[in-house]
Amino acid sequence: MTNKSSSTISSLAKGLRVIECFDAQRPKLSISEVAALTGLDRATSRRCLLTLHAEGYAAYDGKFFTLTHRCLRLGTGAIGGLQLPQVVQPWLDQLTEQISQSCSVAILDETEIVYLARASQRRVMSIGLMPGSRLPAHSTSMGRVLLAAMPDAEARRVIEASDLSPRTRFSLTDPEEIMAQVQTARRRGYAMVDQEVEISLRSLAVPVLNSKGAVVAALNTGMAATQPADPEELVEGYLPALLKVQAGIARILG
């Protein structure tokens, strides 16, 4: 058996933990804050941050550190090396043209979804979405169909580990209510979210399947809440097109 301590680099692991501390809610962090978030001591946190700064991955104003655009190389390189974005992008482009709405594909990463591919028709969210963007899984249509692919116990664990702070007045914050929506998505084969992520935004998602029927990602479309006025019309109007793309991808995705 390989000795883990002799085959891994602990300093690299610590540096990655430091990078993961930064997100949309915490774009600027001090050494003490990073130490608290990572569980590393202050001296180690300082060395990691200064190394990131020296290599161009972090900016430093004398008190706070922020990640720089150089960090995007890490994410875009990983996404670019995946087969899935290359396979689904032409389908997204065609679907977006057909239904005149933006469409996306995402995967689950712990409590968040990560966008892998996107075709934009018009901007309906206040934040720009692109490959690498993240949103909470529990409150998004793609997140719920991905959670629906899990056993209940595992999906519940993800939900309970999530930050359930409401993003809008429509956001579900009770784990049992969210779990009920996940189970409904599993039964129906799709999930619809009505203004839980952002006011005036609705989205509809289906799972992306490989040729063996396993769920590998999620596909969705989003539009303004007034288009159509009745949320159920969203299902009637757009689900057939999503299911057609789902079937097409499954035929070619190994």
Side-chain angles (χ1 to χ4, degrees), residues 28 61-62 79 104 159 182 189:
K28 297 173 62 176
D61 64 7
I79 291 174
S104 306
I159 292 168
V182 169

Side-chain angles (χ1 to χ4, degrees), residues 21-162:
C21 286
F22 295 85
D23 56 26
Q25 287 70 46
R26 298 186 296 255
K28 297 173 62 176
L29 293 170
S30 67
I31 294 172
S32 297
E33 288 170 332
V34 167
L37 289 166
T38 60
L40 302 172
D41 60 58
R42 195 177 186 282
T44 301
S45 299
R46 179 177 180 275
R47 288 196 301 272
C48 289
L49 288 165
L50 290 177
T51 300
L52 291 172
H53 175 55
E55 295 299 318
Y57 288 96
Y60 182 42
D61 64 7
K63 182 177 181 181
F64 292 103
F65 290 84
T66 56
L67 296 184
T68 68
H69 65 277
R70 189 180 181 91
C71 284
L72 294 175
R73 295 184 182 183
L74 304 176
T76 54
I79 291 174
L82 297 175
Q83 177 197 25
L84 189 58
Q86 300 171 37
V87 170
V88 302
Q89 190 63 57
W91 292 89
L92 289 183
D93 294 338
Q94 185 180 69
L95 179 59
T96 295
E97 287 298 316
Q98 176 188 346
I99 66 177
S100 298
Q101 303 292 349
S102 297
C103 300
S104 306
V105 164
I107 58 173
L108 188 67
D109 181 19
E110 297 184 355
T111 62
E112 298 176 312
I113 58 168
V114 182
Y115 282 72
L116 292 186
R118 182 167 171 81
S120 298
Q121 183 70 19
R122 59 175 65 89
R123 186 164 174 173
V124 293
M125 293 188 72
S126 62
I127 59 173
L129 294 174
M130 63 188 71
S133 295
R134 291 172 174 266
L135 286 175
H138 71 275
S139 61
T140 56
S141 60
M142 288 193 285
R144 287 181 183 170
V145 295
L146 291 169
L147 290 171
M150 298 178 172
D152 274 353
E154 188 175 352
R156 191 181 301 276
R157 179 190 62 77
V158 173
I159 292 168
E160 291 178 349
S162 302

